[in-house]
Amino acid sequence: MILTKENTETLIAKCRCHDRNAQLEIYNRYYKAMYNTTYRIIKDPTEAEDIMQEAFLTAFTKLSSLEKNSMFGAWLKRIVINASLTALKKIINTKKSLWM
C-alpha cells in the first residue's frame, strides 16, 4: 500500500478513468470514517464492513453522477448512510417477522 500526496480531486479524476491505484488510495483514505458511520447505524461489525464495501463499489460505479470531485467525501458518506439505513430496515423487518 503506497499512499500518495495527490489531492482527492485528482484521485477522483483518475478513478473516473478506472485507475485501480487511485481507487485503492481513495478507499484507504476514507474507509475508517465510512466504516465508523456504518457501524454507528448497524451495530454489527461484520455487517458494517460488508455495507461499507458495497457502498464503495456503488460510489466507484456511479462516479459519473458526482458533479464536483471536491464533494466526493460528502457524496460517499450519503451513499454509506443510505445503504446502512436500508440494511437496518431489512434487519428490523426480519426481526419483526420472526416475532409474529
Side-chain angles (χ1 to χ4, degrees), residues 15-60:
C15 287
R16 288 178 189 268
C17 297
H18 308 288
D19 181 325
R20 299 289 183 214
N21 291 325
Q23 289 175 344
L24 179 60
E25 177 69 21
I26 289 293
Y27 178 84
N28 288 332
R29 288 184 185 189
Y30 285 93
Y31 82 92
K32 287 180 185 174
M34 296 306 120
Y35 171 81
N36 289 334
T37 299
T38 303
Y39 182 75
R40 277 186 239 124
I41 295 169
I42 298 297
K43 310 257 190 287
D44 177 326
T46 304
E47 188 71 21
E49 180 77 24
D50 289 345
I51 293 166
M52 186 254 328
Q53 289 186 9
E54 287 293 324
F56 270 99
L57 288 173
T58 299
F60 288 136

Side-chain angles (χ1 to χ4, degrees), residues 3-97:
L3 297 177
T4 65
K5 294 187 179 195
E6 292 184 82
N7 67 26
T8 301
E9 290 180 45
T10 303
L11 288 169
I12 296 302
K14 289 181 177 183
C15 287
R16 288 178 189 268
C17 297
H18 308 288
D19 181 325
R20 299 289 183 214
N21 291 325
Q23 289 175 344
L24 179 60
E25 177 69 21
I26 289 293
Y27 178 84
N28 288 332
R29 288 184 185 189
Y30 285 93
Y31 82 92
K32 287 180 185 174
M34 296 306 120
Y35 171 81
N36 289 334
T37 299
T38 303
Y39 182 75
R40 277 186 239 124
I41 295 169
I42 298 297
K43 310 257 190 287
D44 177 326
T46 304
E47 188 71 21
E49 180 77 24
D50 289 345
I51 293 166
M52 186 254 328
Q53 289 186 9
E54 287 293 324
F56 270 99
L57 288 173
T58 299
F60 288 136
T61 57
K62 297 191 177 199
L63 270 177
S64 61
S65 66
L66 176 64
E67 293 179 16
K68 292 183 180 180
N69 289 354
S70 62
M71 298 298 294
F72 178 78
W75 181 72
L76 175 62
K77 191 166 189 174
R78 177 52 38 202
I79 291 171
V80 167
I81 290 170
N82 287 341
S84 299
L85 292 175
T86 299
L88 182 62
K89 287 177 189 175
K90 288 179 185 176
I91 291 167
I92 290 170
N93 288 335
T94 300
K95 286 182 180 180
K96 280 184 183 178
S97 67

